[in-house]
Amino acid sequence: MTQNSDSIPVHEAGKHEGATQEAMNITDAAGTTANVSMGIEAEQAEQPMTTVERAELLLKQDEAIRDNIDGGQDLDAAIDPTNKEFGAQAHPEQVQMRVAKRALMIKEGIEPYPVHLDVTDTIEAVRKKYDGTLKPGEETEDVVGVAGRALFIRNGGGLCFVKLSAGDGTTLQGMISKREVGAESLKRFKQLADLGDHLYVRGRVVASKTGELSVFATDWAIAAKALQPLPALHKDLNEEQRTRKPYIGMIADERMRDMVRRRSAAVASLRRTFDRHDFLEVETPMLQTVHGGAAARPFTTHMNAFDINLFLRIAPELFLKRCLVGGIERVFEINRDFRNEGVDGTHAPEFTMVEAYQSYGTYDTIGALVKELIQTTAKEAFGSTQVTLQDGTPYDFGGQWKSMTMYGSLSEALGEEITPETSVEHLRKIADKLGLEQETAENHGKLVEHLWEHFWQDKLYEPTFVRDFPVETSPLVKSHRSIPGVVEKWDLYVRGFELATGYSELNDPVVQRQRFVEQAKMALAGDVEAMDIDEDFLEALGVGMPPAGGMGMGIDRLLIALTGATIRETITFPLVKPLN
């Protein structure tokens, strides 16, 4: 955000803005400065309060400030900067002052949160129409009514300036003049308006003396009084602020606003591509009696009405396949999934995934669809298949993508042939030599995948399909047409992480039951990610599911691939551990 001579930061008359979580500078009426610092946190630790107790405390403080205002005290006298009466867990001075201003507005019949204002134009539309068309000092007779968040304020003698920001970060200056609004209205602006408030201004479109596009107000109003101060907007937000208070990040950080918009554009693009290929979007249950559709540890919950335990969905696969059984031949879902696993740069416990299934498709046809989905999303949401990552590195999703087989590439890396017949004992010896950790319930397939990941995962920078996986790790996938012990599955890797997966779907109910039984035995042996036996799904398969290709791709990971962000940066409201 740039500033000009008309618009500079104001610290609420030099008194109440600019405090941080670590320390708050407080200036009293005599001009002396006290420092209220980490002692607040210390007192909170000594005198813990329940959520209800603290909420009631804050309400009592709000009421006390209101009574002081109603009793005729001015703003400074109405608040208690040192919190002698209410203690360290009460409102800090800045919030008290804003609560006092709210009370003063109500006392004087001014609505701090009006239902309606005559907003006739957006800030973006005014910018688009008038940018570059007015000379410094030039005025028009065009009257607009706009609203935005106040990010900068300068209070002068007879003229005040406010920088209003739209949701996308576009700004427009408001000019509040005694000549236009009157002395009393200007006084009220200086007294009541704070940084962070949503403000409405109505007036003529002009250019200031320095050439800044402005609205020369004949009327102004507070559209929503902000009781919490904004952070210093000239400083980068830290990770704690971004994840715990993403709404602050959307105000202060252009990258966070862009991520929200680009995520929306990416999802819209995916839907359009599916629509062009005649896929129908459906919704499947989030609460399930049997967890399945992926190898993952589920979250559990309890339903009081039926008195049964349920699982939060780890994948929609088994229900989407029921749609194929029912005759919906092309189906997809953009869904929320939950996996009770670790958290890192590419994993979150709650995430969004798209899954799609196409009757009479294979893992080859579904791979071509996934490539089209990703390339089209890059073009429609980012302008090109060559994107620029957050660190400035270009990355190209265009052209042909590489392909390799899991067994072939592992054999190449080891210098010896590994096949589906290679024994578990031999694979364990190789893993031991490489110093790889092994799980209790390791089987042939898991060992092969762990060995492959050791050699290849972080080396696959450009888009690469890794094909033909061990049958043990893919219980819902059809066996390979020509290679025993292998299934027709691929994983798509981008910049060293898995972005999507695709299959030729298993539709033989007898084989599927065998696979489920093997999974159940693995679960009994200690594999917390193994699936359970889903007899309802097996009965559906028995009705007859056509041959099909299927895919799954994390929406969050797609944004990681397209932007270079972490998964927390791509999720608008990531789950974080509570501070208390």
Side-chain angles (χ1 to χ4, degrees), residues 153-170:
I153 296 175
R154 187 180 72 176
N155 290 332
L159 179 63
C160 297
F161 300 92
V162 56
K163 183 73 73 176
L164 300 179
S165 176
D168 68 349
T170 305

Side-chain angles (χ1 to χ4, degrees), residues 291 294-299 311-312 314 338-341 528-530:
H291 68 88
R297 186 172 188 169
F299 287 93
F311 301 97
L312 295 184
I314 60 175
F338 308 86
R339 299 184 183 180
N340 198 359
E341 301 171 337
V528 296
E529 295 184 346

Side-chain angles (χ1 to χ4, degrees), residues 425-451:
E425 291 73 19
H426 184 64
L427 293 173
R428 281 191 180 278
K429 289 179 181 178
I430 296 173
D432 287 338
K433 287 182 181 178
L434 294 172
L436 300 183
E437 291 187 9
Q438 300 179 44
E439 299 175 7
T440 303
E442 292 276 25
N443 56 33
H444 169 91
K446 284 200 168 188
L447 284 165
V448 167
E449 289 194 13
H450 290 167
L451 289 169

Side-chain angles (χ1 to χ4, degrees), residues 11 13 24 121 237 321-322 338 349 373 385 422 465 491 541 546:
H11 297 294
M24 184 165 49
D121 300 85
L237 299 181
K321 286 181 174 179
R322 286 172 170 90
F338 308 86
L373 286 166
T385 55
T422 303
F465 287 108
D491 279 351
L541 277 189

